[in-house]
Amino acid sequence: MTAIRVVLVDDQHLVRTGLRALLDRASDIEVVGEAGDGGGGLAVVREQRPDVVLMDVRMPGGDGLEATRRILGDPRLTGVRVVMLTTFDDDEYLFEAIRAGAAGFLLKDTPPDALREAVRVVAGGDALLSPAVTRRVLTAAAHAPVTDPARLAGLTARERDVLAQVGAGRSNTEIGQVLFLSPDTARTYVSRLLQKLNARDRSQLVVIAYESGLVRPGEQ
């Protein structure tokens, strides 16, 4: 089995050391590089072409948000997934990071088993938004201006319903319960939405739901 290749980007050496130690305990995960700022992280990612980057949000000498934009905007790095490492005082960056294409967020105090599983989830192509972080992302998204209501013109009524539920942060199982669908059917609708809206992952569907005005504050 090919190991999931990970790059760590954080300005605190102790944080990187701790993350490396936790990830190295998994036989299916390999840390292939690390850096102390966004610019250095970009260089390491270009050199190593990892599957997943764990990227700190705030760093002197090059912040994680700009590095994420550059990584995900580079056609040579297609397939690289970025997860932002955050603390509760990083709220203002969360929504922008999703818009930049981040696959999700991890709190820096995430338990070891959850950290390793998160890397696997993201490497498998899914978005990662923990419940605690999701609430903050949705709060930030709720104040975003409506920028493109016409973007949803090609969706059916049912697809709009599903997108609204995704925008509210609900899982496929929860969407199924609300809309009386099986989880598999809900998953199929989400996959269709990703394709129709040209979204990278589920977290970007949240952004689209808010930016199109489909979901507004107080409607979750």
Side-chain angles (χ1 to χ4, degrees):
M1 179 177 61
T2 302
I4 300 168
R5 304 174 75 252
V6 178
V7 163
L8 308 175
V9 186
D10 193 290
D11 65 310
Q12 298 183 41
H13 183 267
L14 285 177
V15 171
R16 299 198 309 271
T17 300
L19 290 171
R20 179 184 283 271
L22 293 175
L23 294 175
D24 281 346
R25 294 178 186 174
S27 60
D28 60 336
I29 300 173
E30 177 187 7
V31 177
V32 297
E34 58 182 77
D37 59 42
L42 178 62
V44 173
V45 169
R46 285 174 172 167
E47 177 184 352
Q48 295 294 335
R49 306 289 178 89
D51 301 299
V52 177
V53 182
L54 297 184
M55 177 80 72
D56 191 14
V57 174
R58 297 182 185 178
M59 293 174 287
D63 70 81
L65 187 57
E66 178 59 26
T68 296
R69 289 193 187 101
R70 295 179 67 181
I71 289 170
L72 299 177
D74 190 336
R76 297 169 296 178
L77 299 178
T78 300
V80 176
R81 309 272 287 171
V82 178
V83 175
M84 310 303 292
L85 296 173
T86 184
T87 57
F88 279 126
D89 60 358
D90 289 327
D91 291 359
E92 67 267 31
Y93 292 95
L94 299 184
F95 189 52
E96 285 301 315
I98 289 183
R99 293 183 68 179
F105 299 86
L106 281 177
L107 299 179
K108 288 189 176 181
D109 60 355
T110 297
D113 287 344
L115 171 67
R116 291 185 283 265
E117 184 58 27
V119 169
R120 297 183 184 108
V121 166
V122 171
D126 289 330
L128 176 74
L129 290 174
S130 70
V133 176
T134 298
R135 285 192 295 272
R136 294 173 178 269
V137 172
L138 294 177
T139 297
H143 295 90
V146 176
T147 58
D148 190 8
R151 190 171 186 180
L152 308 186
L155 300 186
T156 66
R158 180 55 98 182
E159 287 168 347
R160 285 171 176 258
D161 290 341
V162 172
L163 180 59
Q165 297 303 316
V166 173
R170 294 189 173 93
S171 67
N172 290 336
T173 298
E174 292 168 335
I175 291 171
Q177 291 171 346
V178 172
L179 299 180
F180 303 102
L181 304 170
S182 71
D184 285 343
T185 300
R187 186 177 300 108
T188 297
Y189 272 111
V190 172
S191 296
R192 193 179 302 164
L193 287 167
L194 290 169
Q195 182 177 13
K196 280 191 170 185
L197 297 173
N198 194 29
R200 179 188 296 269
D201 53 34
R202 195 183 191 96
S203 59
Q204 288 202 320
L205 289 179
V206 174
V207 175
I208 292 170
Y210 278 91
E211 289 189 331
S212 64
L214 184 62
V215 180
R216 300 309 302 163
E219 294 180 357
Q220 295 95 320

